[in-house]
Amino acid sequence: MTVRLVAGTPTGVGSLPYTDPAVAAEVALEMHPELPAAPQLPQRSIAESMIAQVAAGMPGVTIDGAGLHADRRIAPVPEGAPLDADAWAGTLAFLDAAATRVRPVKLQLAGPVTLGLALIAAGARPSKAFAVAGATVADRVRALRAAADERCPGAPPVIVLDEPGMVSYLHTDFPLAPDDTIDLLSGALAAVGRGGLAGVHCCGPTDWRLILHAGPDLVSLPVDSADADDAAGFSSFLDRGGWIAWGVVPTDRPIGDRFDPHWRRLSALWGEMTRNGCDPARLRTQSLLTPACGLAHHGEEQVPRVFGLVRMIAERVQDQAVALRMSVGA
C-alpha cells in the first residue's frame, strides 16, 4: 500500500462528542470521506480519554475519575498485546465501518512525550517515565497498525501522534533534553512501518525544529499557534515531501457562521511564511485542512458546522492548488 494524499483534503483531529461508537464512525466517514479520522470518544468512557487510551494495560498504572496514578511497578504494556476494546472502542468501530475502503484513513493516539509527562505527574521518576512511555507508545502504534491492516486492509493508514505535552518544551523546566526528545519521537514514528504515513500533532506553540528533526511525514498544528519564524524549518520539511495539516477552524472559542475570517488568517500566515522563505506553491499543494483540535467538548450539533467550515476553506485551497499546477504545466 502507498499513502497518496491530495492537496486541500479536509480531515479531522482526534476526539468527537458522541457516546455511540457506531454513530461516531458513521459521522467521521460522512463528514470527511476523503480522509476520515478515527474518533476518540472520552464522553463515552474515561478509558477512551487520550492518556487513558494509550496507557490501558500498563502494569503499575491505574486510571479513575481523578486521573492517572502510577507506582514504582510501572512498565510498558506487554509486547504485542491487542488494543483494549473499551479504550479503543471508537477507533475499532471506525476501522470496521471502513472495512471496504481503498483510500487512506487517519488514526491518532497520544505520543510518548505527552504520556511520559503524564506519568511524571502521576508520580513516576522522569528517567523511567519516558523510557516506559516510549516503549508503550511504539507498541501501541504497532498494535494500531495491525488492527488497521486486519480490519480495513485496503486503506493505507496515516497514524498521528498527539503531543500536547510538546507545548511545555518552551518552558525552562522541561525534563527531557533536545536529543532525547527527538529520539523518543522518532522511535514512535518509526513504529508506523512501511506503507503508512507517520505524523505529529501539537495543539499549541512549540519548538517545531525538534519535531521535524524526528522525521515525521506529516505535522499538524492550529493556524493560531503557528509562527512565521518557523518558516525555514517548514520550508525544508516541505522540500522533502512533507505535509502540513493546518488547523484552520478554532475549537476553543465561538467560530461564527462564515469561513472568511478563518481563511484570511490562513492566507495571512502563508503570506508571512512565504516572505520568510517558504515556497508558496508547496504550502498549498502539500496541505491538509482540519479543525484546530478535537471536538469532544463541543455539542453534537456543532460537529457538522465545524467540518462544514473546514470544507469550505479546503475548497479554496484545492482551487489554488489546481491553478498552481495549471500554471506550471503551461
Side-chain angles (χ1 to χ4, degrees):
M1 293 187 296
T2 301
V3 182
R4 290 187 173 89
L5 299 178
V6 177
T9 294
T11 187
V13 176
S15 62
L16 291 177
Y18 304 98
T19 57
D20 185 325
V23 170
E26 181 181 354
V27 169
L29 288 162
E30 180 182 339
M31 288 291 102
H32 35 85
E34 302 91 339
L35 181 59
Q40 295 163 309
L41 307 175
Q43 292 194 26
R44 182 196 68 83
S45 169
I46 190 173
E48 208 164 347
S49 59
M50 183 179 67
I51 295 297
Q53 181 185 64
V54 76
M58 289 180 65
V61 171
T62 57
I63 301 145
D64 58 28
L68 191 75
H69 309 279
D71 61 38
R72 66 182 61 185
R73 298 176 297 113
I74 65 165
V77 292
E79 187 174 348
L83 299 177
D84 180 86
D86 187 28
W88 296 88
T91 296
L92 295 175
F94 169 84
L95 292 173
D96 287 339
T100 60
R101 276 186 68 86
V102 294
R103 291 189 290 172
V105 293
K106 182 172 177 281
L107 312 171
Q108 188 161 317
L109 73 164
V113 174
T114 297
L115 177 59
L117 292 171
L119 291 172
I120 292 170
R125 289 183 291 106
S127 58
K128 188 171 185 180
F130 286 118
V132 168
T136 292
V137 172
D139 191 83
R140 296 302 80 196
V141 169
R142 287 189 288 269
L144 185 56
R145 175 68 192 269
D149 289 348
E150 177 185 355
R151 293 171 185 246
C152 52
V158 178
I159 299 180
V160 179
L161 304 176
D162 193 355
E163 285 287 15
M166 282 298 299
V167 171
S168 63
Y169 187 82
L170 299 178
H171 302 163
T172 56
D173 59 349
F174 190 77
L176 203 58
D179 287 347
D180 294 331
T181 304
I182 292 168
D183 289 345
L184 194 63
L185 286 171
S186 63
L189 291 168
V192 172
R194 298 181 61 182
L197 283 187
V200 177
H201 171 78
C202 184
C203 56
T206 188
D207 188 337
W208 280 99
R209 294 172 300 176
L210 286 180
I211 294 174
L212 296 174
H213 274 115
D217 303 304
L218 176 147
V219 293
S220 170
L221 67 158
V223 168
D224 287 349
S225 70
D227 192 327
D229 290 340
D230 292 322
F234 284 130
S235 179
S236 297
F237 175 67
L238 292 167
D239 289 345
R240 296 194 301 270
W243 286 74
I244 303 177
W246 301 99
V248 289
V249 177
T251 53
D252 60 352
R253 60 183 183 271
I255 57 173
D257 296 318
R258 297 178 60 83
F259 75 93
D260 306 69
H262 313 304
W263 166 245
R264 285 196 296 270
R265 277 196 297 273
L266 177 64
S267 296
L269 174 65
W270 281 355
E272 292 177 18
M273 295 185 76
T274 297
R275 288 188 289 274
N276 286 359
C278 271
D279 182 332
R282 289 190 182 277
L283 282 171
R284 289 157 176 79
T285 58
Q286 291 165 230
S287 65
L288 308 177
L289 288 306
T290 72
C293 288
L295 301 175
H297 300 296
H298 290 61
E300 292 183 12
E301 71 282 355
Q302 293 176 297
V303 173
R305 183 177 166 206
V306 171
F307 281 118
L309 291 171
V310 171
R311 180 165 295 280
M312 284 187 273
I313 298 167
E315 289 170 355
R316 283 285 187 96
V317 175
Q318 291 164 9
D319 289 344
Q320 290 193 354
V322 169
L324 283 165
R325 290 194 186 99
M326 292 178 64
S327 175
V328 171

